Amino acid sequence: MTIRDAFLWGREHLAATGVAEPAIEADLLLRRALGWDRAQMYTRWDSPLDGGAWDRYRVLLDARAGGRPVHYILGEREFMGLLFAVDERVLIPRPETEVLTEVIIDFLNGNREQRTGNSQSQEVRSPFPVPRSRQLVVDVGTGSGCIAVAIAHFVPDAAVIATDISRGALDVAASNARRHGVESRIEFLEGDLLTPLPQSVQREIDVLVSNPPYVPPQDAAGLPREIREFEPTIAVVGQEDGLAVHRRLISEGTRWLKPGGLLALEVGTGQALAVAGWFREADYAVIRTIQDYAGIDRVVTATYAPESTQGTLIVLANT
């Protein structure tokens, strides 16, 4: 059997078990079994496959056919160009969460649209410029640490606090911080949402960011098997209508954000309008929705603006 034969066999095997992207995943698993990168594999496409690699490949394929997500099998997932260790203790990072992370990085790096609320030629200037001398970010429900680590990596002057209710998740996140050399700028705290934050950071936070659970409980049974049976339910399925955590963060964020600080939340399909409405009812302004790569309103952000200073700051825009 050649490398090509093994790939084709694995692709058909995965397709028969209902895997959505059998060619991509057969490629990933075969390269893992061989210990090769893509160039090595395709330059030896017609070479014989040795028995040891075949045995390893079949074990990996069987695990995937049994429903285990490919990134748990591989033990890693790329996010923002960085490799993150992942296992069943944490949610697998998704491309749509890169959109959320890019919004924060742009804000911290002084992106004019983020800082002024300028959108689609409609300018709304915030009276609360965020000082560049200190940038404090809190990543709520950090999971694998992908958001916190990427922010620390791409914004060298950012200090990050990452919270999670799961000690196992924090262990994974801390290992990823060490992997990318940013552990000295991230503090990991165990607890529910904002409760583990020290009082010393009240009204000192430049950015609160979170990818909370947002699948409504009544929709959980319809999730793909690999999510339903393998990824941590607490990171996927929200309480009540799926948006209980969003409401809490919008309410409690005003206690922690500095004036002009940003709260950014990932949301599910069809949820952005409700979340934007809750921002409008609280002490926030410059409310924006941002679409993901599929054109879905995926991120909602707002600036903390105490009631006495809101004035005409509020703007709703899709960008």
Side-chain angles (χ1 to χ4, degrees), residues 214-223 237 241:
Y214 50 71
V215 174
Q218 64 270 23
D219 295 342
L223 290 170
V237 180
D241 56 354

Side-chain angles (χ1 to χ4, degrees), residues 2-275:
T2 65
I3 304 297
R4 181 201 299 270
D5 293 334
F7 166 75
L8 294 174
W9 187 90
R11 184 187 67 183
E12 296 309 310
H13 180 61
L14 293 180
T17 62
V19 170
E21 298 180 318
I24 293 173
E25 297 193 9
D27 173 279
L28 289 170
L29 296 175
L30 182 54
R31 285 193 282 119
R32 172 55 60 88
L34 291 164
W36 295 349
D37 61 24
R38 180 173 283 108
Q40 288 175 301
M41 190 170 81
Y42 288 108
T43 55
R44 305 178 192 181
W45 197 230
D46 294 315
S47 301
L49 181 71
D50 71 72
W54 172 244
D55 290 340
R56 292 191 295 273
Y57 184 45
R58 291 193 64 178
V59 168
L60 297 175
L61 287 170
D62 287 345
R64 183 65 187 100
R68 192 178 185 210
V70 67
H71 296 293
Y72 287 157
I73 296 170
L74 298 174
E76 60 186 18
R77 167 71 161 168
E78 184 177 329
F79 181 85
M80 298 288 292
L82 306 172
L83 276 178
F84 286 83
V86 293
D87 60 32
E88 282 83 349
R89 292 173 290 178
V90 300
L91 191 71
I92 297 170
R94 263 68 170 187
E96 49 266 36
T97 304
E98 293 188 353
V99 176
L100 173 67
T101 308
E102 287 166 356
V103 167
I104 303 308
I105 291 170
D106 284 347
F107 179 83
L108 294 171
N109 283 332
N111 179 280
R112 183 175 182 273
E113 180 178 79
Q114 291 287 344
R115 296 288 304 281
T116 66
N118 184 35
S119 176
Q120 298 179 344
S121 302
Q122 186 176 20
E123 183 172 346
V124 184
R125 191 173 300 278
S126 169
F128 305 120
V130 177
R132 299 273 67 82
S133 58
R134 179 191 182 202
Q135 301 195 91
L136 178 60
V137 179
V138 175
D139 175 25
V140 183
T142 194
S144 67
C146 62
I147 296 174
V149 171
I151 289 170
H153 177 82
F154 289 108
V155 186
D157 66 333
V160 184
I161 298 174
T163 75
D164 205 289
I165 200 168
S166 165
R167 169 45 55 187
L170 290 173
D171 290 342
V172 175
S175 73
N176 282 320
R178 292 190 295 271
R179 181 177 194 170
H180 294 291
V182 294
E183 69 274 17
S184 65
R185 290 190 289 115
I186 304 179
E187 182 177 7
F188 296 97
L189 300 177
E190 183 178 357
D192 182 37
L193 302 183
L194 302 174
T195 55
L197 295 180
Q199 296 302 308
S200 60
V201 301
Q202 275 196 24
R203 298 295 169 87
E204 294 292 332
I205 296 171
D206 294 284
V207 173
L208 281 174
V209 57
S210 184
N211 174 22
Y214 50 71
V215 174
Q218 64 270 23
D219 295 342
L223 290 170
R225 178 188 177 191
E226 59 193 52
I227 297 175
R228 190 177 66 250
E229 295 185 5
F230 292 89
E231 298 199 64
T233 301
I234 194 173
V236 176
V237 180
Q239 297 177 349
E240 301 168 15
D241 56 354
L243 294 172
V245 173
H246 297 71
R247 284 190 289 271
R248 277 189 60 188
L249 289 175
I250 290 170
S251 174
E252 297 173 15
T254 58
R255 175 186 171 193
W256 299 97
L257 284 165
K258 63 170 57 173
L262 191 74
L263 174 53
L265 301 171
E266 184 170 320
V267 299
T269 302
Q271 295 176 335
L273 187 61
V275 172

